[in-house]
Amino acid sequence: MSGIAVAVVDDHPVFRLGMVALLSTLEGIEVVAEAGSAAHALDAITEDVDVVLMDLELGDGSGIDATRALCARDPGLRVLVVTMHEDEDSLVASLRAGARGYLVKGAGPDEVERAIRAVANGDMIVGAAVAAKAMTVVAAPRARSSVFRELTEREHEVLDLIARGHDNATISRRLVLSPKTVRNHVSNVLAKLGVPDRSSAIVRARDAGVGL
């Protein structure tokens, strides 16, 4: 297939259809798949897709987890996150999951087109709305802690936010995870650290330099 084959993943039909309509007007770009959920995305996106436009909040899960799964399955796939979230945590989590670009919804048609062509070409691009945060991430990336090796990468992220004093609702928003998923991660963190509660986890984490 000539040109750039694109898949659009967003659980809001109006936004998804509007994006598809926009992309259909761009030369050399063809929408070959659509999905309204994480599960559908994993089924609908094949090796024929070059670029995925990925929302972070999906009805059945997180676009970050969907991005991680898709990139693990096909390392050559380019994911461009298109989201309402402008915070650093969502940006960092998206890039760690394998995304090659990050735009905030409301970006103009020209910016969307440039981003798609850039990531398809192997470049990394971040929209103007979060560019300053991106520079901070590039200049001082938060490396995974060398302690608590029993924790998964996601559990490290959760522990870091716990240690910073955030409650589950805030963690849910920042990592774009459902409240139930956050509760499960917190329970797993407490169990793996062998501590009875969040306060004890915070003490352990900060003693080890996490969340400071």
Side-chain angles (χ1 to χ4, degrees), residues 66-125:
T67 295
R68 183 178 291 108
L70 288 168
C71 291
R73 191 173 73 186
D74 180 5
L77 185 67
R78 311 297 186 183
V79 175
L80 171 62
V81 169
V82 183
T83 177
M84 294 296 295
H85 295 275
E86 298 184 33
D87 60 282
E88 179 186 347
D89 291 304
S90 295
L91 170 62
V92 172
S94 298
L95 298 181
R96 284 179 173 175
R100 300 289 299 180
Y102 194 100
L103 290 181
V104 174
K105 287 182 178 179
D110 290 344
E111 189 174 6
V112 173
E113 180 180 4
R114 284 196 302 271
I116 291 173
R117 297 191 189 281
V119 298
N121 193 46
D123 297 330
M124 179 173 287
I125 188 165

Side-chain angles (χ1 to χ4, degrees), residues 156-179:
H156 269 281
E157 293 171 345
V158 170
L159 177 60
D160 179 72
L161 292 174
I162 290 173
R164 292 170 186 265
H166 297 304
D167 59 17
N168 283 10
T170 302
I171 295 173
S172 176
R173 290 193 301 271
R174 293 209 170 194
L175 296 182
V176 199
L177 296 172
S178 71

